[in-house]
Amino acid sequence: MLEDTLRVQTIYIVATASESTLRQRSTFPKHTPPTDSNASATEDAPKKVIKSVFTSAEKTNSLIALAGLTALAIISRFYKINEPDEVVFDEVHFGKFASYYLRGSYFFDVHPPLAKMMLAAMGYFIGYDGHFLFDNIGDKYNDNNVPYIGLRALPAFLGAMTVPLVYMTMREAGFPILTCALAAFFVIFDNMLVTQTRLILLDSMLVFFMMCSIYSYVRFYKTRNNPFTLKWWSWMIATGVSIALTTSVKMVGLFTVATIGVAVIWDLWELLDIRRRLTMQQFMNHFYARAIGLILIPVVVYLFWFYVHFAILTNSGPGDDFMSTEFQETLKGNTMADGIFVKYGDNITIRHKDTSVYLHSHEHNYPLRYDDGRISSAGQQVTGYSHEDPNNLWQIYSDNVENTKIGKQVKDKDVIRLLHVATSSWLLAHDVASPTMTTNEEITTYSINEDGSRFNETTFQIILESGGDKLRTMASNFKLLHQSTKVAIWTHAHKLPDWGFEQQEINGNKNLVQKSNLWLSDNIEGKNASEIDQESSKAVKTRSFILKFLELQGKMISHNAGLTDSHPYQSSPIEWPFLVKGISFWTENETRKQIYLVGNPLGMWIAVASLAVIIGVSGADLLSRRRGFYPLNQDVQKRFYYATGFFFIGWIFHYIPFFLMGRALFLHHYMPALVFSYMVLAAVHGFIFIEGVDGPISDAGPETRPRQLQRAVVPVIAYASGIILMAIHLGSFLFFAPLSYGTSAPSVAGLARRKFLPQWDYHFAK
């Protein structure tokens, strides 16, 4: 008995080793062409070269399924797109930006320009002139003659076209029609995707271009056995252009770049394998080609949209104040071009750049004792005042008693004194705590009639941050650095108590590098029109594109990171896959209608389960293989890792980075990851219920080793389970559709039934 057992084990080991050897031989052929890398075993062509693994009947069935799904996508996105005929949620921003493009007025936004320019182009083609500024949620479109249906049609169309891209991507990755249809069906009938893509918002463009990128890369990967051919180059360049377009809509398009970047790095790593028999020169050719197609071309495309952005927005607009003086001087009608040089002896107003309050003083003193018991200097108050007033005037003196520089221009790094005109007192900083911040210094004034013992406490160095090396009204941003105690004159939005007339506190900031230390002079008292015309240059200046681009890019990143203010509908990334919290988009009190952004809960929760299956199966397979047991067929395993795993990586890269962000986040940020999760869901369904895979799916190369054609078997249970999943998803979609479309008002009882989680705070629920 023992002898028989050993014999059987020996035969099994030999057979397994032989099979492994054969697989290696089929994977790495003996002869490799000098300009090509060899295909893996799973992608080799059969002995008789065929153009497609799919039969003509399957192609016909696939086209019918694709056409039907696309029609459903169009219907779901365009259904009653005219409702509501009011501004909804972030249409107040992106509709406004489209109007600014049509006006040519410069504006600032944290997102790149492409999607907003597309909306503006749509407006231009339908005859819209940008007269409406989308100021408030609920503003009526029809009352203001806004062709809003046409503007909404663009994101709705691209949202619908995402569906065939999902289907075709799955099909090109080798999945059967059922699997592809399941993924597309879940995308069609997701409530969040429907709501977001039928309004004047950016996310439909983002997801559409993202799927263009994924589809193009899959097509490119399938041509890897024929490198440097026209088809190979075409799909690689299409991938590069698509990822550039994705990033040109929102910066989170970089997550798509990362997804494809990881796949490209893996592909290059495989090419570097010595068994591929590529020379280093051949490998570097592959590297350089990908660097051109997937790095250089995307960068050029990304820059191109900013070039168009600057070419359109040539007029002064609401975004001027976000930019530097040098940038603003390139805009027509901007007051920076009218700036005149400030001279010693001039009476000027000084305004804070961030909060726009004037440096102000009046004949009222600080209280001797503050509410917290601290003692003040009881000196004259210096505050920030938001209105024009005679008490805003300050006269510029030099740092000597004789004031010998009268009539000379004030320059960068000059040491000056500021005399408050109305009260004849010098601006002064000293080592006394400010009214509201014990870490900062009190700013007060010192009478001109007093002795000169406190002269040093009244001297400030003017440090110009922009506008050249001479002080100009409007054009120069500057800091006032106290010479004695080394603090910068600063203000913040905190209001003083009643004794300070609820004006803004002015104090001395010890943090000298803080950007909010900046001030500007916006007016010189007594300058007549002829003097202004002589001293100012009204000609619009030019600045290089790259400097404008770099400045705007830096502003976009910094302001995006600074969006930290709390919002009642913000949520954390950990909540998104489980739909813990939604967003109220729009309400109408008279009819009790509302649009509440929430995904398809049953569909999304099933998708989360499928993501867990991916992790579980991968872990079990790795452990089994470690112990010498191979539970998965080799072809099924590779399809599982290379295709399903690629979509899973896409979900990871479009979801996990949000955990690292400090800004306020919302449920709609999950949209790109949600599409990937539905693709994973369909692939996992196929992995569980469909036997085998279709293959080979990649194009055969001239030296590809022959391999037998394989067919996936789709049993009845696969169709039955797929139909059940679709029915569950569709039922859930229809149940929440009134909240997604806002076309009808559920009753209080109806809202209660739709409140699956307590955090879903619907309006009119009582």
Side-chain angles (χ1 to χ4, degrees):
M1 177 66 73
L2 177 62
E3 207 173 88
D4 291 338
T5 301
L6 291 173
R7 186 179 296 110
V8 169
Q9 290 180 345
T10 302
I11 293 171
Y12 173 78
I13 292 170
V14 171
T16 303
S18 300
E19 182 183 3
S20 175
T21 303
L22 287 172
R23 285 176 180 171
Q24 283 193 349
R25 287 175 180 173
S26 65
T27 304
F28 307 108
K30 187 173 182 180
H31 300 289
T32 305
T35 61
D36 196 358
S37 63
N38 235 351
S40 64
T42 60
E43 309 299 349
D44 292 337
K47 292 182 179 181
K48 181 181 179 181
V49 177
I50 57 174
K51 294 184 178 180
S52 174
V53 69
F54 304 118
T55 65
S56 59
E58 285 179 315
K59 289 181 179 180
T60 301
N61 293 337
S62 181
L63 287 174
I64 292 172
L66 177 61
L69 291 164
T70 303
L72 286 175
I74 292 172
I75 293 170
S76 66
R77 270 60 178 176
F78 280 87
Y79 172 72
K80 292 189 176 181
I81 197 171
N82 60 307
E83 296 185 24
D85 63 342
E86 299 178 0
V87 178
V88 177
F89 194 57
D90 277 352
E91 287 185 335
V92 296
H93 300 303
F94 304 121
K96 186 193 303 289
F97 296 151
S99 292
Y100 283 140
Y101 272 120
L102 293 170
R103 295 179 175 194
S105 300
Y106 187 80
F107 68 90
F108 175 81
D109 183 39
V110 297
H111 302 302
L114 176 59
K116 291 161 291 188
M117 285 195 290
M118 292 171 65
L119 291 170
M122 187 67 180
Y124 176 81
F125 287 127
I126 61 178
Y128 175 57
D129 60 3
H131 66 271
F132 184 66
L133 286 181
F134 301 78
D135 287 325
N136 303 293
I137 295 176
D139 285 351
K140 291 286 188 179
Y141 286 128
N142 290 326
D143 293 349
N144 292 279
N145 298 316
V146 181
Y148 69 102
I149 296 176
L151 293 174
R152 286 178 178 174
L154 175 62
F157 176 75
L158 294 180
M161 290 302 101
T162 300
V163 171
L165 281 171
V166 168
Y167 180 93
M168 292 188 296
T169 300
M170 299 289 290
R171 194 72 174 139
E172 292 294 336
F175 292 100
I177 295 174
L178 175 62
T179 302
C180 305
L182 186 62
F185 191 89
F186 268 68
V187 171
I188 293 171
F189 293 110
D190 181 85
N191 300 73
M192 175 163 55
L193 295 174
V194 167
T195 300
Q196 279 285 120
T197 56
R198 49 187 273 111
L199 299 172
I200 306 172
L201 304 174
L202 308 186
D203 295 280
S204 64
M205 292 82 147
L206 174 70
V207 175
F208 174 78
F209 289 129
M210 177 194 78
M211 283 311 307
C212 287
S213 304
I214 301 301
Y215 174 74
S216 298
Y217 181 74
V218 171
R219 294 297 304 268
F220 165 67
Y221 186 74
K222 289 176 63 176
T223 66
R224 67 191 181 281
N225 296 328
N226 298 282
F228 307 108
T229 60
L230 178 61
K231 187 176 182 180
W232 185 88
W233 275 107
S234 298
W235 283 115
M236 181 175 66
I237 292 173
T239 304
V241 171
S242 296
I243 60 176
L245 296 177
T246 309
T247 310
S248 299
V249 172
K250 284 188 174 183
M251 293 298 291
V252 293
L254 291 172
F255 302 159
T256 305
V257 175
T259 301
I260 291 176
V262 167
V264 170
I265 292 171
W266 174 262
D267 189 28
L268 287 172
W269 180 255
E270 290 289 300
L271 290 173
L272 193 59
D273 192 327
I274 193 172
R275 291 173 294 182
R276 296 281 183 171
R277 298 183 181 178
L278 289 181
T279 66
M280 282 305 299
Q281 183 57 53
Q282 291 171 335
F283 172 79
M284 292 308 298
N285 290 341
H286 278 274
F287 177 83
Y288 293 140
R290 286 163 174 80
I292 293 171
L294 301 176
I295 298 177
L296 179 60
I297 290 178
V299 168
V300 171
V301 172
Y302 183 73
L303 290 172
F304 170 76
W305 297 118
F306 281 90
Y307 183 86
V308 176
H309 174 77
F310 295 138
I312 295 174
L313 303 181
T314 57
N315 300 317
S316 177
D320 294 10
D321 289 343
F322 290 92
M323 312 309 295
S324 69
T325 300
E326 291 79 7
F327 190 106
Q328 293 184 49
E329 288 178 326
T330 66
L331 301 171
K332 299 174 185 176
N334 186 274
T335 55
M336 294 299 176
D338 297 334
I340 60 176
F341 293 108
V342 178
K343 300 176 181 178
Y344 286 98
D346 285 342
N347 293 344
I348 65 172
T349 54
I350 300 174
R351 185 158 53 88
H352 189 239
K353 179 172 171 51
D354 284 358
T355 63
S356 296
V357 297
Y358 290 98
L359 187 65
H360 175 93
S361 187
H362 44 231
E363 291 182 331
H364 296 276
N365 295 348
Y366 294 112
L368 181 60
R369 186 181 296 274
Y370 298 125
D371 292 341
D372 59 3
R374 291 185 297 113
I375 303 296
S376 80
S377 69
Q380 183 171 303
Q381 295 176 16
V382 175
T383 62
Y385 190 52
S386 57
H387 305 287
E388 293 184 4
D389 189 89
N391 284 322
N392 300 339
L393 285 175
W394 301 84
Q395 187 175 21
I396 299 187
Y397 278 73
S398 61
D399 61 336
N400 55 61
V401 178
E402 295 79 14
N403 197 26
T404 55
K405 295 184 179 180
I406 287 287
K408 295 183 179 179
Q409 294 176 353
V410 179
K411 299 179 181 179
D412 183 32
K413 302 297 192 300
D414 278 2
V415 178
I416 65 171
R417 303 172 78 198
L418 290 172
L419 179 69
H420 187 244
V421 175
T423 60
S424 297
S425 56
W426 300 105
L427 184 70
L428 177 146
H430 57 169
D431 194 13
V432 175
S434 72
T436 67
M437 302 179 67
T438 57
T439 57
N440 288 19
E441 288 188 1
E442 178 189 87
I443 305 298
T444 182
T445 65
Y446 175 68
S447 175
I448 195 172
N449 298 320
E450 299 288 340
D451 59 47
S453 60
R454 306 189 70 178
F455 181 90
N456 290 336
E457 293 178 304
T458 63
T459 57
F460 297 84
Q461 185 177 44
I462 187 165
I463 302 174
L464 301 183
E465 296 287 335
S466 63
D469 62 351
K470 296 178 181 179
L471 181 62
R472 285 192 297 156
T473 58
M474 301 303 297
S476 300
N477 295 326
F478 59 86
K479 296 177 183 177
L480 288 172
L481 178 63
H482 190 233
Q483 287 295 91
S484 178
T485 59
K486 302 303 180 185
V487 296
I489 301 296
W490 179 74
T491 187
H492 57 125
H494 186 84
K495 303 293 185 182
L496 293 170
D498 291 343
W499 55 258
F501 307 98
E502 296 187 348
Q503 295 176 14
Q504 237 169 258
E505 180 192 27
I506 303 288
N507 62 39
N509 187 6
K510 296 179 181 179
N511 184 0
L512 302 182
V513 298
Q514 194 165 327
K515 293 181 179 179
S516 55
N517 289 331
L518 293 179
W519 300 79
L520 58 89
S521 172
D522 65 349
N523 186 43
I524 299 178
E525 184 189 41
K527 285 286 184 180
N528 58 45
S530 61
E531 290 177 296
I532 293 175
D533 289 340
Q534 290 174 7
E535 295 188 26
S536 65
S537 175
K538 295 179 181 291
V540 175
K541 297 184 178 180
T542 59
R543 198 178 190 207
S544 72
F545 163 73
I546 195 65
L547 289 178
K548 293 173 71 174
F549 167 77
L550 291 174
E551 179 179 341
L552 178 56
Q553 199 72 24
K555 297 286 186 181
M556 288 164 52
I557 294 171
S558 63
H559 279 78
N560 190 47
L563 297 175
T564 56
D565 292 344
S566 61
H567 191 282
Y569 292 106
Q570 73 181 69
S571 54
S572 60
I574 194 64
E575 298 173 325
W576 299 341
F578 307 100
L579 274 182
V580 174
K581 194 172 186 179
I583 305 173
S584 176
F585 268 28
W586 170 84
T587 60
E588 189 174 64
N589 293 328
E590 294 80 8
T591 62
R592 298 176 66 87
K593 294 178 182 179
Q594 63 179 304
I595 295 178
Y596 189 85
L597 184 74
V598 65
N600 187 319
L602 299 185
M604 288 183 66
W605 294 339
I606 294 171
V608 171
S610 71
L611 295 167
V613 170
I614 285 280
I615 298 172
V617 171
S618 301
D621 181 58
L622 290 173
L623 287 174
S624 299
R625 290 165 63 85
R626 192 67 175 170
R627 299 302 300 166
F629 177 65
Y630 300 86
L632 299 179
N633 171 277
Q634 185 184 35
D635 298 316
V636 172
Q637 180 201 54
K638 288 196 172 183
R639 184 66 50 81
F640 179 78
Y641 283 122
Y642 290 172
T644 309
F646 178 56
F647 302 145
F648 180 74
I649 291 295
W651 177 80
I652 289 287
F653 275 106
H654 287 80
Y655 175 55
I656 298 301
F658 285 106
F659 285 91
L660 306 177
M661 296 185 184
R663 57 154 293 176
L665 298 169
F666 300 88
L667 175 62
H668 59 77
H669 288 121
Y670 187 63
M671 277 182 61
L674 177 60
V675 173
F676 279 110
S677 73
Y678 284 150
M679 296 171 75
V680 170
L681 182 155
V684 167
H685 171 268
F687 174 78
I688 295 173
F689 292 104
I690 296 175
E691 301 172 8
V693 295
D694 291 323
I697 59 169
S698 292
D699 298 344
E703 297 295 330
T704 304
R705 291 290 295 262
R707 185 172 175 233
Q708 186 176 358
L709 183 67
Q710 297 184 74
R711 311 297 303 159
V713 178
V714 186
V716 174
I717 190 174
Y719 287 107
S721 58
I723 291 172
I724 290 172
L725 285 175
M726 289 181 185
I728 292 172
H729 191 66
L730 178 60
S732 179
F733 170 80
L734 294 175
F735 187 61
F736 287 93
L739 298 173
S740 302
Y741 289 98
T743 54
S744 61
S747 64
V748 173
L751 289 173
R753 288 194 299 272
R754 289 171 174 82
K755 194 170 184 177
F756 285 8
L757 296 176
Q759 293 88 345
W760 295 0
D761 43 357
Y762 301 138
H763 290 273
F764 317 122
K766 296 180 181 179

